[in-house]
Each structure stands twice: as C-alpha cells, then as structure tokens.
Amino acid sequence: MTTTAEIADSESMAERSYRILRDRLIMLDIAPGDPINEATLAADLGTGRTPMREALKRLEIDHLVVSYPRRGTFATGVDITELASISDVRFSLESLAARRAAEEHGGAYRAELEATREAIVGLETLHDHRQLIEFDLKVHRLIYRAANNHHLEEALVRLDNLATRIWCMVLNRLPDIHQHIDEHVTLIDLILAGDSDAAAALAGEHILHFEKTVRSVL
C-alpha cells in the first residue's frame, strides 16, 4: 500500500521536476522541437518516472511540450506570430495584476518586492542577458502572487512563459534590454505606494514596450 508520505514525496518531486523543466523550456535550454526523453530527464533530475510524467502533463497544458501517439513528447515550437495575441491578453491581465497588488501595497510579498527592487537597481553593470531575463521573470511572478488571485496568477504565468520564449528566440538581435528591466523599479514603487491606477497603466505600457522591442528586430 502507498503511504501518505510516499504520495506527498511523489507530488513534491513532480512539482520540482515541473519547475525545473518549465524554466529550461522557457529559456530554450531545451530547444523548440527537441524530443523529451522521460528516462534521461528523470535520471538527470534524480526523480522517478511517475513524477516526471506528472510534470510533463502540466507542461503540455502550459503549451510548452506536445505529445504525439507512438512518436513521443517534444518541446513545442516558438510561434512568433502569436506575439500579438499573447500581448493582447497580457495587456489586460498584467494591468489587473498590478492594480490588485497595489491595492494590497504588496501584501505578504511587500518585503520581497522591496528586496527585488533594490536588486534591480544594482543591475546597471550586468551584461548577461540571461540573468536579466531571469530577473524579469522573477518580478512578474512576484507581482502575480502579490495580486492574491490564483486564477489570475496561473493565467499570467502561462502567458509570460510563452512571451519569454519568444524573447529568447530574438535575444541575440536585441539592443540593450536594461531599460525594459529598469521599468520594474517604477512599477514596484507604485505598487508599494498603493497607486493602483498608475501601476495598472505602467504595467500595460510595459507589455506594449516589450512587443514593440521584439517587433523591431523581426
């Protein structure tokens, strides 16, 4: 009989596997179209096949992997033509998340927002685009949590993941991306100050600026 502890451990390993694979797929460490070998990944992450399968099921819902009968599982392609559709939805939802986070003045995540703000200020001399993108992901996910609406958070995480994959596809053609990351400083300030209208407006502008920047190199 499977014990409660064994079930909890399996769920924990599935969650860990999901998060690691999700970020590898987002950052294109697993390239679009690459086959996903369950056994190899399970061994790499030190997990079992069952937690790995659970992780892959979630990643398929996120549109990061796709499974074909008798062919296997593969990393999904990056469809740049989806940028407009993704940005359209993100414009509304990112604004809503920023508004809700500001209404709570950051809520339970206030201290983490403050610390992240200070970290961004210190990024002026950082030239590693990958690390800058990782900070971008961190800020967005933190604001989603601070919005205190798990439905909104889940939707935005999926959209932001897809947008980040597009970003990574054109990264080597982009100009300096510090300005895009620096916009988060003002956004966090507005959230902490409780200025919900201004936070919502800036969050929307941030999405439009992202789309414009990516389109400039297409």
Side-chain angles (χ1 to χ4, degrees), residues 27-48:
M27 301 302 291
L28 306 187
D29 295 328
I30 300 175
D34 273 2
I36 305 294
N37 187 301
E38 287 185 22
T40 300
L41 285 173
D44 180 36
L45 300 183
T47 187

Side-chain angles (χ1 to χ4, degrees), residues 7 11 14 17 24 33 42 64-65 84 113 116 121 165 176 181-182 195 199 201 207:
I7 293 173
E11 290 175 346
S17 299
R24 288 183 183 181
L64 294 174
V65 303
L113 282 164
T116 302
V121 172
R165 293 186 88 210
D176 181 57
I181 307 302
D182 289 343
D195 193 337
I207 298 307

Side-chain angles (χ1 to χ4, degrees), residues 14-24 55 58-59 141 145:
E15 178 67 23
R16 175 176 174 273
S17 299
Y18 167 75
R19 292 185 181 278
I20 291 173
L21 290 178
R22 179 193 65 186
D23 289 346
R24 288 183 183 181
R58 291 178 63 185
L59 290 167
R141 291 173 182 174
R145 292 197 294 273

Side-chain angles (χ1 to χ4, degrees), residues 17-185:
S17 299
Y18 167 75
R19 292 185 181 278
I20 291 173
L21 290 178
R22 179 193 65 186
D23 289 346
R24 288 183 183 181
L25 289 157
I26 293 169
M27 301 302 291
L28 306 187
D29 295 328
I30 300 175
D34 273 2
I36 305 294
N37 187 301
E38 287 185 22
T40 300
L41 285 173
D44 180 36
L45 300 183
T47 187
R49 296 289 291 272
T50 298
M52 181 58 62
R53 290 195 186 102
E54 291 301 314
L56 291 173
K57 286 179 183 177
R58 291 178 63 185
L59 290 167
E60 189 160 17
I61 293 172
D62 292 344
H63 304 292
L64 294 174
V65 303
V66 59
S67 296
Y68 299 102
R70 296 180 297 279
R71 286 183 56 197
T73 302
F74 300 82
T76 55
V78 176
D79 187 354
I80 294 178
T81 64
E82 286 285 298
L83 178 61
S85 297
I86 292 170
S87 297
D88 191 35
V89 181
R90 287 185 75 205
F91 178 84
S92 297
L93 297 188
E94 292 273 356
S95 298
L96 177 59
R99 179 181 295 280
R100 292 292 179 260
E103 289 171 352
E104 299 288 332
H105 293 257
Y109 299 94
R110 183 177 181 86
E112 195 171 350
L113 282 164
E114 290 173 338
T116 302
R117 180 202 184 282
E118 294 309 308
I120 294 172
V121 172
L123 295 177
E124 291 182 2
T125 59
L126 180 63
H127 300 293
D128 187 327
H129 277 194
R130 181 190 178 94
Q131 289 186 40
L132 289 171
I133 289 178
E134 288 172 349
F135 259 97
D136 184 81
L137 283 166
K138 180 178 181 180
V139 173
H140 280 283
R141 291 173 182 174
L142 188 54
I143 292 172
Y144 304 158
R145 292 197 294 273
N148 198 30
N149 181 326
H150 71 91
H151 296 294
L152 180 60
E153 178 184 355
E154 288 174 5
L156 276 169
V157 166
R158 287 177 185 164
L159 289 167
D160 190 40
N161 291 345
L162 297 175
T164 300
R165 293 186 88 210
I166 293 174
W167 197 5
C168 289
M169 281 289 290
V170 300
L171 191 58
N172 62 346
R173 287 180 273 163
L174 289 175
D176 181 57
I177 64 173
H178 279 85
Q179 179 184 349
H180 183 78
I181 307 302
D182 289 343
E183 289 174 2
H184 291 311
V185 173

